[in-house]
Amino acid sequence: IRNEAIEKIQSVDEIKKLQKLKVTYLGKKGSITSVLRGMGKLTKEERPVIGKLANKVQETIAQSIQEKQAIIEQKAMDKQLQEEAIDVTLPGRPIQVGGSHLLTNIVHEIEDLFIGMGFEVKEGPQVETDYYNFEALNLPKNHPARDMQDSFYITNELLLRTHTSPVQARTMRSYKGEKPVKMICPGVVYRRDSDDATHSHQFNQIEGLYVDKDVRMSDLKGMLNIFAKKMFGEDREIRLRPSFFPFTEPSVEMDISCKVCSGKGCSVCKKTGWIEILGGGMVHPHVLEMAGYEPNVYTGFAFGMGTDRIAMLKYGVNDIRQFYMNDKRFITQYHQA
Ligand code: PHE
């Protein structure tokens, strides 16, 4: 029994199997135990001899099991240590760094330009009242020009703002007709449009407002000229065309020249060589009045542009939906560190 047991114990390399052997030899029903149990059948002379022998064998087997167990446990420990070892000399895994979205960058760029000309940046709610989105901007209920901006209404009086102009009305109102207003307001706006390459039901605008004593159309033209040149290049020119907005009178649309010249000659982006980028005009006296400004004392100009469109023109993006699709192949091209 002893030799057999020791041989088996030596060949085992798993704790579980070792435990089984322990049961087989030393357990209640194990072989040694049954030898010891059978002692009663032996003669008086045999008993001490066999008993001694059996005890010795039991001891030897138990010891051998214990030794083996220590070896197996040591091996397991070595293996674990090896597997969990950290090689501190390995190069680290590269970390993916995010970046800001192209539209965010453009907004910051435009903000910086106007902050440089003394404007402050204001924000307002995207869920707006009918009053600030339309009425305070000279668009009373049932005014036909409301159709220019198809709206998402939430209740009769609440809607998703269709432009950032309500922020201007709110700011003027908060200044109580007492001090000049010189602000821009970037933000998301919503219109009921079918999405295609040039339309999105959600897009971004930046509007500007300058109200003070003696603000003129020439101030508007001068500042927008600086803006266009800084944004698109010193070789760009601007032109103003007459237009209509309910909240400005007179109203204009502004084009920038888009002649691109290279060694091979010049090409224009459109047949005319001009492309429209924003709307603006002199704040309607009625709008000033509703916001608490005395139209005989104060005058002002306002302008508004689609941020997405500016980004598309500047970076040659041909589908506005790219800005909102979160396609990393597109987005990461414009990441700035
Ligand atoms: N709010 C106008 C629009 O969304 C743009 C605009 C702003 C025009 C300010 C004139 C003055 O179309």
PDB file of all heavy atoms in Angstrom, residues 103-104 107-108 110-111 121-126 161-167 183-191 202-208 305-308 324:
ATOM      1  N   LEU A 103     -17.394  72.873 -35.524  1.00  0.00           N
ATOM      2  CA  LEU A 103     -18.329  73.982 -35.282  1.00  0.00           C
ATOM      3  C   LEU A 103     -17.936  74.768 -34.028  1.00  0.00           C
ATOM      4  O   LEU A 103     -18.037  75.994 -34.002  1.00  0.00           O
ATOM      5  CB  LEU A 103     -19.759  73.454 -35.109  1.00  0.00           C
ATOM      6  CG  LEU A 103     -20.472  73.029 -36.396  1.00  0.00           C
ATOM      7  CD1 LEU A 103     -21.853  72.481 -36.060  1.00  0.00           C
ATOM      8  CD2 LEU A 103     -20.583  74.191 -37.369  1.00  0.00           C
ATOM      9  N   THR A 104     -17.482  74.029 -33.006  1.00  0.00           N
ATOM     10  CA  THR A 104     -17.043  74.692 -31.772  1.00  0.00           C
ATOM     11  C   THR A 104     -15.851  75.600 -32.066  1.00  0.00           C
ATOM     12  O   THR A 104     -15.786  76.741 -31.595  1.00  0.00           O
ATOM     13  CB  THR A 104     -16.627  73.629 -30.731  1.00  0.00           C
ATOM     14  OG1 THR A 104     -17.669  72.662 -30.644  1.00  0.00           O
ATOM     15  CG2 THR A 104     -16.377  74.248 -29.380  1.00  0.00           C
ATOM     16  N   VAL A 107     -17.063  78.705 -33.861  1.00  0.00           N
ATOM     17  CA  VAL A 107     -17.730  79.623 -32.935  1.00  0.00           C
ATOM     18  C   VAL A 107     -16.678  80.400 -32.128  1.00  0.00           C
ATOM     19  O   VAL A 107     -16.766  81.626 -32.000  1.00  0.00           O
ATOM     20  CB  VAL A 107     -18.690  78.867 -31.978  1.00  0.00           C
ATOM     21  CG1 VAL A 107     -19.191  79.796 -30.878  1.00  0.00           C
ATOM     22  CG2 VAL A 107     -19.872  78.298 -32.756  1.00  0.00           C
ATOM     23  N   HIS A 108     -15.672  79.672 -31.636  1.00  0.00           N
ATOM     24  CA  HIS A 108     -14.635  80.358 -30.857  1.00  0.00           C
ATOM     25  C   HIS A 108     -13.897  81.398 -31.702  1.00  0.00           C
ATOM     26  O   HIS A 108     -13.587  82.493 -31.238  1.00  0.00           O
ATOM     27  CB  HIS A 108     -13.633  79.340 -30.298  1.00  0.00           C
ATOM     28  CG  HIS A 108     -14.225  78.527 -29.184  1.00  0.00           C
ATOM     29  ND1 HIS A 108     -13.707  77.328 -28.772  1.00  0.00           N
ATOM     30  CD2 HIS A 108     -15.313  78.752 -28.401  1.00  0.00           C
ATOM     31  CE1 HIS A 108     -14.448  76.854 -27.781  1.00  0.00           C
ATOM     32  NE2 HIS A 108     -15.420  77.698 -27.540  1.00  0.00           N
ATOM     33  N   ILE A 110     -15.036  83.038 -34.339  1.00  0.00           N
ATOM     34  CA  ILE A 110     -15.887  84.209 -34.583  1.00  0.00           C
ATOM     35  C   ILE A 110     -16.036  85.038 -33.301  1.00  0.00           C
ATOM     36  O   ILE A 110     -15.952  86.269 -33.326  1.00  0.00           O
ATOM     37  CB  ILE A 110     -17.273  83.779 -35.124  1.00  0.00           C
ATOM     38  CG1 ILE A 110     -17.101  83.050 -36.467  1.00  0.00           C
ATOM     39  CG2 ILE A 110     -18.189  84.997 -35.295  1.00  0.00           C
ATOM     40  CD1 ILE A 110     -18.379  82.457 -37.040  1.00  0.00           C
ATOM     41  N   GLU A 111     -16.213  84.326 -32.171  1.00  0.00           N
ATOM     42  CA  GLU A 111     -16.313  85.045 -30.889  1.00  0.00           C
ATOM     43  C   GLU A 111     -15.076  85.899 -30.661  1.00  0.00           C
ATOM     44  O   GLU A 111     -15.183  87.073 -30.310  1.00  0.00           O
ATOM     45  CB  GLU A 111     -16.456  84.056 -29.726  1.00  0.00           C
ATOM     46  CG  GLU A 111     -17.857  83.502 -29.557  1.00  0.00           C
ATOM     47  CD  GLU A 111     -17.941  82.484 -28.417  1.00  0.00           C
ATOM     48  OE1 GLU A 111     -16.911  82.224 -27.759  1.00  0.00           O
ATOM     49  OE2 GLU A 111     -19.033  81.952 -28.204  1.00  0.00           O
ATOM     50  N   VAL A 121     -20.261  88.242 -25.239  1.00  0.00           N
ATOM     51  CA  VAL A 121     -20.952  87.035 -25.702  1.00  0.00           C
ATOM     52  C   VAL A 121     -22.103  86.717 -24.765  1.00  0.00           C
ATOM     53  O   VAL A 121     -21.929  86.668 -23.549  1.00  0.00           O
ATOM     54  CB  VAL A 121     -19.976  85.833 -25.755  1.00  0.00           C
ATOM     55  CG1 VAL A 121     -20.694  84.572 -26.212  1.00  0.00           C
ATOM     56  CG2 VAL A 121     -18.795  86.147 -26.667  1.00  0.00           C
ATOM     57  N   LYS A 122     -23.305  86.528 -25.346  1.00  0.00           N
ATOM     58  CA  LYS A 122     -24.494  86.245 -24.537  1.00  0.00           C
ATOM     59  C   LYS A 122     -25.136  84.939 -25.001  1.00  0.00           C
ATOM     60  O   LYS A 122     -25.018  84.569 -26.174  1.00  0.00           O
ATOM     61  CB  LYS A 122     -25.526  87.366 -24.720  1.00  0.00           C
ATOM     62  CG  LYS A 122     -25.106  88.669 -24.107  1.00  0.00           C
ATOM     63  CD  LYS A 122     -25.407  88.660 -22.637  1.00  0.00           C
ATOM     64  CE  LYS A 122     -24.987  89.976 -21.985  1.00  0.00           C
ATOM     65  NZ  LYS A 122     -25.202  89.941 -20.542  1.00  0.00           N
ATOM     66  N   GLU A 123     -25.810  84.286 -24.069  1.00  0.00           N
ATOM     67  CA  GLU A 123     -26.554  83.086 -24.446  1.00  0.00           C
ATOM     68  C   GLU A 123     -27.988  83.194 -23.948  1.00  0.00           C
ATOM     69  O   GLU A 123     -28.285  83.980 -23.059  1.00  0.00           O
ATOM     70  CB  GLU A 123     -25.888  81.839 -23.864  1.00  0.00           C
ATOM     71  CG  GLU A 123     -24.655  81.456 -24.662  1.00  0.00           C
ATOM     72  CD  GLU A 123     -23.987  80.182 -24.166  1.00  0.00           C
ATOM     73  OE1 GLU A 123     -24.584  79.473 -23.332  1.00  0.00           O
ATOM     74  OE2 GLU A 123     -22.872  79.927 -24.621  1.00  0.00           O
ATOM     75  N   GLY A 124     -28.868  82.384 -24.540  1.00  0.00           N
ATOM     76  CA  GLY A 124     -30.271  82.404 -24.109  1.00  0.00           C
ATOM     77  C   GLY A 124     -30.874  81.031 -24.271  1.00  0.00           C
ATOM     78  O   GLY A 124     -30.221  80.106 -24.765  1.00  0.00           O
ATOM     79  N   PRO A 125     -32.136  80.879 -23.855  1.00  0.00           N
ATOM     80  CA  PRO A 125     -32.773  79.549 -23.871  1.00  0.00           C
ATOM     81  C   PRO A 125     -33.095  79.065 -25.284  1.00  0.00           C
ATOM     82  O   PRO A 125     -33.416  79.863 -26.163  1.00  0.00           O
ATOM     83  CB  PRO A 125     -34.066  79.780 -23.085  1.00  0.00           C
ATOM     84  CG  PRO A 125     -34.340  81.242 -23.213  1.00  0.00           C
ATOM     85  CD  PRO A 125     -33.010  81.926 -23.322  1.00  0.00           C
ATOM     86  N   GLN A 126     -32.981  77.740 -25.462  1.00  0.00           N
ATOM     87  CA  GLN A 126     -33.348  77.155 -26.766  1.00  0.00           C
ATOM     88  C   GLN A 126     -34.857  76.944 -26.858  1.00  0.00           C
ATOM     89  O   GLN A 126     -35.422  76.936 -27.939  1.00  0.00           O
ATOM     90  CB  GLN A 126     -32.615  75.829 -26.983  1.00  0.00           C
ATOM     91  CG  GLN A 126     -31.116  76.044 -27.162  1.00  0.00           C
ATOM     92  CD  GLN A 126     -30.356  74.762 -27.419  1.00  0.00           C
ATOM     93  OE1 GLN A 126     -30.893  73.807 -27.973  1.00  0.00           O
ATOM     94  NE2 GLN A 126     -29.111  74.732 -27.013  1.00  0.00           N
ATOM     95  N   ARG A 161     -36.511  77.824 -30.409  1.00  0.00           N
ATOM     96  CA  ARG A 161     -36.209  79.094 -31.081  1.00  0.00           C
ATOM     97  C   ARG A 161     -35.786  78.846 -32.532  1.00  0.00           C
ATOM     98  O   ARG A 161     -35.063  77.886 -32.818  1.00  0.00           O
ATOM     99  CB  ARG A 161     -35.151  79.874 -30.315  1.00  0.00           C
ATOM    100  CG  ARG A 161     -33.777  79.218 -30.322  1.00  0.00           C
ATOM    101  CD  ARG A 161     -32.778  80.059 -29.556  1.00  0.00           C
ATOM    102  NE  ARG A 161     -31.472  79.405 -29.531  1.00  0.00           N
ATOM    103  CZ  ARG A 161     -30.496  79.729 -28.688  1.00  0.00           C
ATOM    104  NH1 ARG A 161     -30.658  80.697 -27.816  1.00  0.00           N
ATOM    105  NH2 ARG A 161     -29.349  79.076 -28.737  1.00  0.00           N
ATOM    106  N   THR A 162     -36.253  79.715 -33.417  1.00  0.00           N
ATOM    107  CA  THR A 162     -35.952  79.545 -34.842  1.00  0.00           C
ATOM    108  C   THR A 162     -34.733  80.357 -35.249  1.00  0.00           C
ATOM    109  O   THR A 162     -34.237  80.222 -36.356  1.00  0.00           O
ATOM    110  CB  THR A 162     -37.141  80.014 -35.691  1.00  0.00           C
ATOM    111  OG1 THR A 162     -37.442  81.365 -35.339  1.00  0.00           O
ATOM    112  CG2 THR A 162     -38.367  79.145 -35.433  1.00  0.00           C
ATOM    113  N   HIS A 163     -34.300  81.222 -34.362  1.00  0.00           N
ATOM    114  CA  HIS A 163     -33.084  82.008 -34.592  1.00  0.00           C
ATOM    115  C   HIS A 163     -32.544  82.478 -33.246  1.00  0.00           C
ATOM    116  O   HIS A 163     -33.196  82.258 -32.215  1.00  0.00           O
ATOM    117  CB  HIS A 163     -33.323  83.188 -35.548  1.00  0.00           C
ATOM    118  CG  HIS A 163     -34.522  84.033 -35.217  1.00  0.00           C
ATOM    119  ND1 HIS A 163     -34.922  85.092 -35.973  1.00  0.00           N
ATOM    120  CD2 HIS A 163     -35.415  83.964 -34.198  1.00  0.00           C
ATOM    121  CE1 HIS A 163     -36.005  85.648 -35.448  1.00  0.00           C
ATOM    122  NE2 HIS A 163     -36.328  84.971 -34.381  1.00  0.00           N
ATOM    123  N   THR A 164     -31.358  83.059 -33.242  1.00  0.00           N
ATOM    124  CA  THR A 164     -30.799  83.511 -31.964  1.00  0.00           C
ATOM    125  C   THR A 164     -31.205  84.959 -31.653  1.00  0.00           C
ATOM    126  O   THR A 164     -30.834  85.489 -30.610  1.00  0.00           O
ATOM    127  CB  THR A 164     -29.260  83.361 -31.934  1.00  0.00           C
ATOM    128  OG1 THR A 164     -28.729  83.754 -33.199  1.00  0.00           O
ATOM    129  CG2 THR A 164     -28.859  81.931 -31.652  1.00  0.00           C
ATOM    130  N   SER A 165     -32.006  85.576 -32.537  1.00  0.00           N
ATOM    131  CA  SER A 165     -32.424  86.971 -32.300  1.00  0.00           C
ATOM    132  C   SER A 165     -33.129  87.202 -30.960  1.00  0.00           C
ATOM    133  O   SER A 165     -32.984  88.280 -30.376  1.00  0.00           O
ATOM    134  CB  SER A 165     -33.323  87.457 -33.436  1.00  0.00           C
ATOM    135  OG  SER A 165     -32.712  87.228 -34.677  1.00  0.00           O
ATOM    136  N   PRO A 166     -33.912  86.221 -30.436  1.00  0.00           N
ATOM    137  CA  PRO A 166     -34.544  86.475 -29.134  1.00  0.00           C
ATOM    138  C   PRO A 166     -33.537  86.801 -28.036  1.00  0.00           C
ATOM    139  O   PRO A 166     -33.864  87.539 -27.101  1.00  0.00           O
ATOM    140  CB  PRO A 166     -35.301  85.175 -28.829  1.00  0.00           C
ATOM    141  CG  PRO A 166     -34.905  84.185 -29.855  1.00  0.00           C
ATOM    142  CD  PRO A 166     -34.408  84.968 -31.025  1.00  0.00           C
ATOM    143  N   VAL A 167     -32.305  86.293 -28.148  1.00  0.00           N
ATOM    144  CA  VAL A 167     -31.291  86.626 -27.141  1.00  0.00           C
ATOM    145  C   VAL A 167     -30.997  88.124 -27.178  1.00  0.00           C
ATOM    146  O   VAL A 167     -30.741  88.759 -26.144  1.00  0.00           O
ATOM    147  CB  VAL A 167     -29.985  85.816 -27.369  1.00  0.00           C
ATOM    148  CG1 VAL A 167     -29.007  86.051 -26.227  1.00  0.00           C
ATOM    149  CG2 VAL A 167     -30.278  84.335 -27.535  1.00  0.00           C
ATOM    150  N   MET A 183     -23.224  93.109 -28.387  1.00  0.00           N
ATOM    151  CA  MET A 183     -23.180  91.685 -28.025  1.00  0.00           C
ATOM    152  C   MET A 183     -23.271  90.775 -29.250  1.00  0.00           C
ATOM    153  O   MET A 183     -23.780  91.163 -30.300  1.00  0.00           O
ATOM    154  CB  MET A 183     -24.390  91.364 -27.137  1.00  0.00           C
ATOM    155  CG  MET A 183     -25.678  91.788 -27.815  1.00  0.00           C
ATOM    156  SD  MET A 183     -27.181  90.951 -27.311  1.00  0.00           S
ATOM    157  CE  MET A 183     -26.889  89.291 -27.662  1.00  0.00           C
ATOM    158  N   ILE A 184     -22.740  89.571 -29.093  1.00  0.00           N
ATOM    159  CA  ILE A 184     -23.027  88.518 -30.072  1.00  0.00           C
ATOM    160  C   ILE A 184     -23.597  87.331 -29.314  1.00  0.00           C
ATOM    161  O   ILE A 184     -23.347  87.174 -28.108  1.00  0.00           O
ATOM    162  CB  ILE A 184     -21.783  88.074 -30.884  1.00  0.00           C
ATOM    163  CG1 ILE A 184     -20.649  87.620 -29.954  1.00  0.00           C
ATOM    164  CG2 ILE A 184     -21.303  89.160 -31.808  1.00  0.00           C
ATOM    165  CD1 ILE A 184     -19.577  86.829 -30.672  1.00  0.00           C
ATOM    166  N   CYS A 185     -24.405  86.540 -30.004  1.00  0.00           N
ATOM    167  CA  CYS A 185     -24.987  85.369 -29.340  1.00  0.00           C
ATOM    168  C   CYS A 185     -24.933  84.160 -30.267  1.00  0.00           C
ATOM    169  O   CYS A 185     -25.629  84.104 -31.268  1.00  0.00           O
ATOM    170  CB  CYS A 185     -26.411  85.650 -28.885  1.00  0.00           C
ATOM    171  SG  CYS A 185     -27.423  86.471 -30.093  1.00  0.00           S
ATOM    172  N   PRO A 186     -24.053  83.234 -29.950  1.00  0.00           N
ATOM    173  CA  PRO A 186     -23.993  81.993 -30.710  1.00  0.00           C
ATOM    174  C   PRO A 186     -24.967  80.982 -30.117  1.00  0.00           C
ATOM    175  O   PRO A 186     -25.274  81.057 -28.928  1.00  0.00           O
ATOM    176  CB  PRO A 186     -22.551  81.510 -30.475  1.00  0.00           C
ATOM    177  CG  PRO A 186     -22.169  82.086 -29.143  1.00  0.00           C
ATOM    178  CD  PRO A 186     -23.012  83.308 -28.909  1.00  0.00           C
ATOM    179  N   GLY A 187     -25.470  80.075 -30.928  1.00  0.00           N
ATOM    180  CA  GLY A 187     -26.326  79.050 -30.340  1.00  0.00           C
ATOM    181  C   GLY A 187     -27.026  78.177 -31.371  1.00  0.00           C
ATOM    182  O   GLY A 187     -27.033  78.474 -32.566  1.00  0.00           O
ATOM    183  N   VAL A 188     -27.637  77.117 -30.848  1.00  0.00           N
ATOM    184  CA  VAL A 188     -28.365  76.172 -31.698  1.00  0.00           C
ATOM    185  C   VAL A 188     -29.776  76.690 -31.935  1.00  0.00           C
ATOM    186  O   VAL A 188     -30.406  77.217 -31.023  1.00  0.00           O
ATOM    187  CB  VAL A 188     -28.436  74.787 -31.009  1.00  0.00           C
ATOM    188  CG1 VAL A 188     -29.165  73.787 -31.899  1.00  0.00           C
ATOM    189  CG2 VAL A 188     -27.043  74.285 -30.687  1.00  0.00           C
ATOM    190  N   VAL A 189     -30.266  76.554 -33.156  1.00  0.00           N
ATOM    191  CA  VAL A 189     -31.633  76.953 -33.491  1.00  0.00           C
ATOM    192  C   VAL A 189     -32.308  75.816 -34.271  1.00  0.00           C
ATOM    193  O   VAL A 189     -31.627  74.897 -34.737  1.00  0.00           O
ATOM    194  CB  VAL A 189     -31.647  78.263 -34.316  1.00  0.00           C
ATOM    195  CG1 VAL A 189     -30.997  79.391 -33.536  1.00  0.00           C
ATOM    196  CG2 VAL A 189     -30.960  78.072 -35.664  1.00  0.00           C
ATOM    197  N   TYR A 190     -33.635  75.892 -34.374  1.00  0.00           N
ATOM    198  CA  TYR A 190     -34.394  74.777 -34.968  1.00  0.00           C
ATOM    199  C   TYR A 190     -35.427  75.292 -35.964  1.00  0.00           C
ATOM    200  O   TYR A 190     -36.126  76.260 -35.695  1.00  0.00           O
ATOM    201  CB  TYR A 190     -35.132  74.011 -33.864  1.00  0.00           C
ATOM    202  CG  TYR A 190     -34.225  73.522 -32.769  1.00  0.00           C
ATOM    203  CD1 TYR A 190     -33.873  74.357 -31.710  1.00  0.00           C
ATOM    204  CD2 TYR A 190     -33.709  72.230 -32.796  1.00  0.00           C
ATOM    205  CE1 TYR A 190     -33.031  73.922 -30.697  1.00  0.00           C
ATOM    206  CE2 TYR A 190     -32.872  71.776 -31.792  1.00  0.00           C
ATOM    207  CZ  TYR A 190     -32.535  72.625 -30.747  1.00  0.00           C
ATOM    208  OH  TYR A 190     -31.707  72.191 -29.752  1.00  0.00           O
ATOM    209  N   ARG A 191     -35.511  74.619 -37.097  1.00  0.00           N
ATOM    210  CA  ARG A 191     -36.577  74.951 -38.049  1.00  0.00           C
ATOM    211  C   ARG A 191     -37.113  73.693 -38.690  1.00  0.00           C
ATOM    212  O   ARG A 191     -36.371  72.728 -38.888  1.00  0.00           O
ATOM    213  CB  ARG A 191     -36.051  75.896 -39.145  1.00  0.00           C
ATOM    214  CG  ARG A 191     -35.764  77.254 -38.596  1.00  0.00           C
ATOM    215  CD  ARG A 191     -35.423  78.255 -39.676  1.00  0.00           C
ATOM    216  NE  ARG A 191     -34.745  79.396 -39.043  1.00  0.00           N
ATOM    217  CZ  ARG A 191     -34.217  80.406 -39.712  1.00  0.00           C
ATOM    218  NH1 ARG A 191     -34.289  80.429 -41.023  1.00  0.00           N
ATOM    219  NH2 ARG A 191     -33.624  81.380 -39.061  1.00  0.00           N
ATOM    220  N   GLN A 202     -31.824  71.268 -37.334  1.00  0.00           N
ATOM    221  CA  GLN A 202     -31.112  71.866 -36.206  1.00  0.00           C
ATOM    222  C   GLN A 202     -29.802  72.412 -36.760  1.00  0.00           C
ATOM    223  O   GLN A 202     -29.079  71.703 -37.445  1.00  0.00           O
ATOM    224  CB  GLN A 202     -30.830  70.790 -35.172  1.00  0.00           C
ATOM    225  CG  GLN A 202     -29.933  71.250 -34.052  1.00  0.00           C
ATOM    226  CD  GLN A 202     -29.313  70.085 -33.302  1.00  0.00           C
ATOM    227  OE1 GLN A 202     -30.002  69.124 -32.986  1.00  0.00           O
ATOM    228  NE2 GLN A 202     -28.030  70.164 -33.047  1.00  0.00           N
ATOM    229  N   PHE A 203     -29.529  73.665 -36.491  1.00  0.00           N
ATOM    230  CA  PHE A 203     -28.255  74.209 -36.955  1.00  0.00           C
ATOM    231  C   PHE A 203     -27.803  75.305 -36.003  1.00  0.00           C
ATOM    232  O   PHE A 203     -28.404  75.498 -34.944  1.00  0.00           O
ATOM    233  CB  PHE A 203     -28.362  74.692 -38.411  1.00  0.00           C
ATOM    234  CG  PHE A 203     -29.409  75.750 -38.661  1.00  0.00           C
ATOM    235  CD1 PHE A 203     -29.046  77.086 -38.793  1.00  0.00           C
ATOM    236  CD2 PHE A 203     -30.743  75.417 -38.780  1.00  0.00           C
ATOM    237  CE1 PHE A 203     -30.001  78.073 -39.033  1.00  0.00           C
ATOM    238  CE2 PHE A 203     -31.718  76.392 -39.009  1.00  0.00           C
ATOM    239  CZ  PHE A 203     -31.338  77.723 -39.145  1.00  0.00           C
ATOM    240  N   ASN A 204     -26.735  75.988 -36.338  1.00  0.00           N
ATOM    241  CA  ASN A 204     -26.173  76.988 -35.443  1.00  0.00           C
ATOM    242  C   ASN A 204     -26.175  78.373 -36.075  1.00  0.00           C
ATOM    243  O   ASN A 204     -25.974  78.496 -37.282  1.00  0.00           O
ATOM    244  CB  ASN A 204     -24.723  76.624 -35.107  1.00  0.00           C
ATOM    245  CG  ASN A 204     -24.660  75.498 -34.097  1.00  0.00           C
ATOM    246  OD1 ASN A 204     -24.575  75.730 -32.911  1.00  0.00           O
ATOM    247  ND2 ASN A 204     -24.731  74.263 -34.579  1.00  0.00           N
ATOM    248  N   GLN A 205     -26.407  79.351 -35.240  1.00  0.00           N
ATOM    249  CA  GLN A 205     -26.341  80.724 -35.710  1.00  0.00           C
ATOM    250  C   GLN A 205     -25.445  81.541 -34.787  1.00  0.00           C
ATOM    251  O   GLN A 205     -25.260  81.194 -33.620  1.00  0.00           O
ATOM    252  CB  GLN A 205     -27.733  81.376 -35.654  1.00  0.00           C
ATOM    253  CG  GLN A 205     -28.607  81.101 -36.845  1.00  0.00           C
ATOM    254  CD  GLN A 205     -29.819  82.027 -36.872  1.00  0.00           C
ATOM    255  OE1 GLN A 205     -30.261  82.514 -35.844  1.00  0.00           O
ATOM    256  NE2 GLN A 205     -30.337  82.259 -38.059  1.00  0.00           N
ATOM    257  N   ILE A 206     -24.925  82.618 -35.332  1.00  0.00           N
ATOM    258  CA  ILE A 206     -24.323  83.647 -34.485  1.00  0.00           C
ATOM    259  C   ILE A 206     -24.919  84.970 -34.924  1.00  0.00           C
ATOM    260  O   ILE A 206     -24.929  85.283 -36.114  1.00  0.00           O
ATOM    261  CB  ILE A 206     -22.790  83.703 -34.630  1.00  0.00           C
ATOM    262  CG1 ILE A 206     -22.170  82.406 -34.128  1.00  0.00           C
ATOM    263  CG2 ILE A 206     -22.238  84.891 -33.836  1.00  0.00           C
ATOM    264  CD1 ILE A 206     -20.659  82.445 -34.059  1.00  0.00           C
ATOM    265  N   GLU A 207     -25.471  85.690 -33.984  1.00  0.00           N
ATOM    266  CA  GLU A 207     -26.010  87.003 -34.321  1.00  0.00           C
ATOM    267  C   GLU A 207     -25.279  88.061 -33.531  1.00  0.00           C
ATOM    268  O   GLU A 207     -24.740  87.790 -32.456  1.00  0.00           O
ATOM    269  CB  GLU A 207     -27.509  87.055 -34.003  1.00  0.00           C
ATOM    270  CG  GLU A 207     -28.278  86.098 -34.889  1.00  0.00           C
ATOM    271  CD  GLU A 207     -29.751  86.425 -34.987  1.00  0.00           C
ATOM    272  OE1 GLU A 207     -30.167  87.508 -34.526  1.00  0.00           O
ATOM    273  OE2 GLU A 207     -30.473  85.582 -35.549  1.00  0.00           O
ATOM    274  N   GLY A 208     -25.290  89.244 -34.084  1.00  0.00           N
ATOM    275  CA  GLY A 208     -24.642  90.361 -33.402  1.00  0.00           C
ATOM    276  C   GLY A 208     -25.601  91.529 -33.305  1.00  0.00           C
ATOM    277  O   GLY A 208     -26.519  91.666 -34.122  1.00  0.00           O
ATOM    278  N   MET A 305     -25.793  85.116 -38.884  1.00  0.00           N
ATOM    279  CA  MET A 305     -25.237  84.199 -39.903  1.00  0.00           C
ATOM    280  C   MET A 305     -25.373  82.761 -39.428  1.00  0.00           C
ATOM    281  O   MET A 305     -25.466  82.485 -38.223  1.00  0.00           O
ATOM    282  CB  MET A 305     -23.772  84.525 -40.171  1.00  0.00           C
ATOM    283  CG  MET A 305     -22.859  84.281 -38.986  1.00  0.00           C
ATOM    284  SD  MET A 305     -21.211  84.919 -39.304  1.00  0.00           S
ATOM    285  CE  MET A 305     -21.154  86.325 -38.205  1.00  0.00           C
ATOM    286  N   GLY A 306     -25.399  81.857 -40.384  1.00  0.00           N
ATOM    287  CA  GLY A 306     -25.422  80.431 -40.063  1.00  0.00           C
ATOM    288  C   GLY A 306     -23.988  79.953 -39.862  1.00  0.00           C
ATOM    289  O   GLY A 306     -23.169  80.002 -40.777  1.00  0.00           O
ATOM    290  N   THR A 307     -23.700  79.512 -38.636  1.00  0.00           N
ATOM    291  CA  THR A 307     -22.336  79.083 -38.315  1.00  0.00           C
ATOM    292  C   THR A 307     -21.922  77.889 -39.178  1.00  0.00           C
ATOM    293  O   THR A 307     -20.792  77.801 -39.655  1.00  0.00           O
ATOM    294  CB  THR A 307     -22.256  78.675 -36.828  1.00  0.00           C
ATOM    295  OG1 THR A 307     -22.984  79.626 -36.068  1.00  0.00           O
ATOM    296  CG2 THR A 307     -20.833  78.617 -36.356  1.00  0.00           C
ATOM    297  N   ASP A 308     -22.868  76.978 -39.386  1.00  0.00           N
ATOM    298  CA  ASP A 308     -22.584  75.780 -40.186  1.00  0.00           C
ATOM    299  C   ASP A 308     -22.144  76.189 -41.594  1.00  0.00           C
ATOM    300  O   ASP A 308     -21.212  75.636 -42.163  1.00  0.00           O
ATOM    301  CB  ASP A 308     -23.838  74.909 -40.302  1.00  0.00           C
ATOM    302  CG  ASP A 308     -24.458  74.612 -38.945  1.00  0.00           C
ATOM    303  OD1 ASP A 308     -25.009  75.553 -38.332  1.00  0.00           O
ATOM    304  OD2 ASP A 308     -24.379  73.464 -38.495  1.00  0.00           O
ATOM    305  N   TYR A 324     -23.410  66.699 -37.856  1.00  0.00           N
ATOM    306  CA  TYR A 324     -24.261  66.109 -36.817  1.00  0.00           C
ATOM    307  C   TYR A 324     -24.248  64.585 -36.826  1.00  0.00           C
ATOM    308  O   TYR A 324     -24.961  63.948 -36.072  1.00  0.00           O
ATOM    309  CB  TYR A 324     -25.699  66.633 -36.978  1.00  0.00           C
ATOM    310  CG  TYR A 324     -25.727  68.142 -36.914  1.00  0.00           C
ATOM    311  CD1 TYR A 324     -25.804  68.912 -38.077  1.00  0.00           C
ATOM    312  CD2 TYR A 324     -25.586  68.792 -35.697  1.00  0.00           C
ATOM    313  CE1 TYR A 324     -25.777  70.304 -38.016  1.00  0.00           C
ATOM    314  CE2 TYR A 324     -25.554  70.180 -35.624  1.00  0.00           C
ATOM    315  CZ  TYR A 324     -25.652  70.920 -36.795  1.00  0.00           C
ATOM    316  OH  TYR A 324     -25.603  72.286 -36.714  1.00  0.00           O
TER     317      TYR A 324
END
